[in-house]
Amino acid sequence: RLWGPKRMPDNSPLVTGQPLEILVQRIIADVLVLAVDDVQPGKALIRDLGAESIDFMDFVFRLEEALGTRIPFTRWQEFVEATLADRDPVAAITPEFLQAFAEEEMERS
């Protein structure tokens, strides 16, 4: 479809009953080419796991696919700015942070 809400893919982890935490963990592992077990709570995506700025576009794109909804990258940027305030993103963006963004996007759709 070119417009309107997208249907969540049948193979989406959310459709198959997989928790959002696991979905986010797998997306991070896929994008960063890591073992899923390497993506642990509290690990900083940039400092500890080697994420680069371009990787965040891929995270958002993969969340779009998994959630079956359009997520403009500007919403990610706004979420980061609003949520982090004065904290250093190199240390503060963790799997839990990405999951909080995904939860906010799920509520929008």
Side-chain angles (χ1 to χ4, degrees):
R1 276 208 274 213
L2 296 176
W3 62 86
K6 286 172 47 179
R7 191 172 149 275
M8 193 172 297
D10 291 337
N11 63 348
S12 167
L14 297 176
V15 171
T16 60
Q18 194 172 72
L20 183 59
E21 176 183 350
I22 301 301
L23 167 68
V24 169
Q25 183 182 30
R26 288 191 173 168
I27 287 173
I28 294 168
D30 285 349
V31 169
L32 300 180
V33 191
L34 298 169
V36 173
D37 291 343
D38 291 338
V39 181
Q40 295 297 318
K43 291 268 187 175
L45 301 187
I46 298 169
R47 183 191 62 211
D48 300 329
L49 301 178
E52 298 178 359
S53 57
I54 193 78
D55 294 321
F56 291 95
M57 291 182 80
D58 202 358
F59 293 146
V60 172
F61 173 74
R62 290 177 190 235
L63 281 173
E64 268 186 341
E65 288 183 322
L67 301 177
T69 188
R70 172 103 171 78
I71 305 173
F73 190 70
T74 54
R75 282 216 297 259
W76 165 255
Q77 294 168 317
E78 291 164 1
F79 180 82
V80 169
E81 289 173 15
T83 308
L84 290 186
D86 294 332
R87 295 185 311 177
D88 180 10
V90 170
I93 298 177
T94 62
E96 297 89 343
F97 187 88
L98 191 59
Q99 181 177 339
F101 174 71
E103 288 169 353
E104 187 172 288
E105 289 302 313
M106 286 174 63
E107 290 174 10
R108 287 180 185 261
S109 55

